[in-house]
Amino acid sequence: MRVFVTGASGWIGSAVVDELLAAGHDVTGLARSEASAVKLESKGAFVRRGDLDDLAGLRAAAEAAEAVVHLANKHDFVNQAATNAAERAAVRTLADALVGTDRPFLLAAGIAGLAEGRPATEADPNPSHGPDSPRGGTENLALEYVGKGVRAGSLRFPPTVHGAGDHGFISVIAQVAQEKGVSAYPGDGTNRWAAVHRGDAARLVRLALEQAPAGALLHPVAEEGVTTRAIAEAIGRAYDLPVASVDPAEAQSHFGWIGAFFAMNGAATSHVTRDLLKWTPTGPTLLEDIAAGAYGGR
């Protein structure tokens, strides 16, 4: 297939591009910078220069493609409203371009907030609707296009997609531990984060593109939940730092912006996804990656 990928040079997107190319698909990646364009071209991918605000460019690229994987996001946690607005506009533009084609359209979403007091499942509806909700309510927006002839599906990524070179949440938490001189966790540390290795996540995206039916809610989850205390202890061992609890009310002042996320419960299962796509994760676990030095340390 000819696949258009946004976020193609990002942490997950670059692995997805590699996976798609290895499987024989033609890939066009969205690139904001010359450096990103060069990296994509060196892999054998085509390049579409632009960003999420270039709606005309997004539409043209989607119209020329046989499938779209939307992984980009501005991730501006200071101006979240602008990020959500840009995300919603981009998703609507990409989906509009595919109306009536029955072509796949996969978009990145998240697991956090889907369920309270238990692991989230693929049966859990996303409570986010409308432009003012998290991510601009784009999962539900995309699913509206199933009835318009688009094979839309959601990739509900866990809080951490880990591996060597990751600059995401775990990297930030490790950096805070170094700066504070203590590897901390909120409360009693029993909150859990689902996790998946980057390579396993990329393989799932490729399988979903090739096989998933319209309306699929997919969980790229290898580990149902790793406790925040276990994460803090692993970082503590990696950097030879003491480990301690932080009052949940003080989490944001201790950790900064990521404190609100670290205090959340983000456990999830992936039984339906595994059965549907015949996907079996094989990569290292989160704690194995931390111990192996994926996030620095001794």
Side-chain angles (χ1 to χ4, degrees):
M1 285 186 284
R2 299 189 309 275
V3 186
F4 175 51
V5 181
T6 73
S9 59
W11 171 242
I12 300 174
S14 57
V16 169
V17 168
D18 292 343
E19 177 75 23
L20 293 175
L21 290 172
H25 297 291
D26 292 329
V27 178
T28 296
L30 184 67
R32 290 182 298 169
S33 68
E34 182 63 23
S36 294
V38 169
K39 287 180 182 178
L40 287 169
E41 289 173 340
S42 70
K43 296 180 176 186
F46 302 100
V47 173
R48 177 85 191 191
R49 292 297 298 269
D51 57 27
L52 292 186
D53 294 322
D54 179 14
L55 299 182
L58 292 180
R59 183 178 184 96
E63 288 175 341
E66 294 173 309
V68 174
V69 180
H70 174 50
L71 302 173
N73 190 281
K74 290 188 174 184
H75 295 301
D76 184 348
F77 296 108
V78 176
N79 191 354
Q80 194 64 56
T83 293
N84 292 342
E87 173 71 358
R88 190 171 180 88
V91 167
R92 188 181 296 280
T93 297
L94 293 167
D96 279 343
L98 299 177
V99 167
T101 65
D102 195 35
R103 292 175 179 173
F105 174 45
L106 298 175
L107 83 161
I111 280 168
L114 293 179
E116 288 292 336
R118 60 169 176 79
T121 75
E122 293 92 338
D124 287 313
N126 193 316
S128 298
H129 293 268
D132 297 326
S133 60
R135 299 187 75 94
T138 49
E139 178 179 282
N140 286 310
L141 174 63
L143 294 177
E144 291 176 9
Y145 283 82
V146 170
K148 301 178 183 179
V150 180
R151 186 146 54 94
S154 179
L155 301 162
R156 293 171 160 181
F157 289 104
T160 177
V161 179
H162 55 86
D166 176 21
H167 296 291
F169 285 177
I170 298 297
S171 178
V172 175
I173 292 167
Q175 182 179 350
V176 171
Q178 295 172 74
E179 292 172 353
K180 300 285 187 177
V182 59
S183 184
Y185 56 88
D188 61 6
T190 57
N191 278 357
R192 298 192 298 157
W193 272 16
V196 66
H197 187 268
R198 177 181 179 233
D200 287 325
R203 183 159 47 87
L204 183 142
V205 173
R206 192 258 302 169
L207 291 171
L209 197 68
E210 296 170 346
Q211 303 174 27
L217 301 176
L218 304 169
H219 285 194
V221 169
E223 296 181 87
E224 179 178 303
V226 185
T227 67
T228 52
R229 179 168 183 165
I231 293 170
E233 289 173 342
I235 292 171
R237 287 191 295 270
Y239 285 95
D240 196 21
L241 293 171
V243 179
S245 169
V246 169
D247 188 321
E250 304 298 323
Q252 197 136 357
S253 62
H254 179 88
F255 292 101
W257 62 267
I258 202 169
F261 293 97
F262 203 29
M264 291 178 66
N265 192 43
T269 65
S270 58
H271 304 306
V272 173
T273 299
R274 295 185 192 217
D275 289 345
L276 177 67
L277 301 179
K278 303 299 183 285
W279 174 70
T280 302
T282 59
T285 67
L286 172 58
L287 299 186
E288 287 170 346
D289 261 347
I290 295 173
Y295 298 90
R298 58 189 174 92

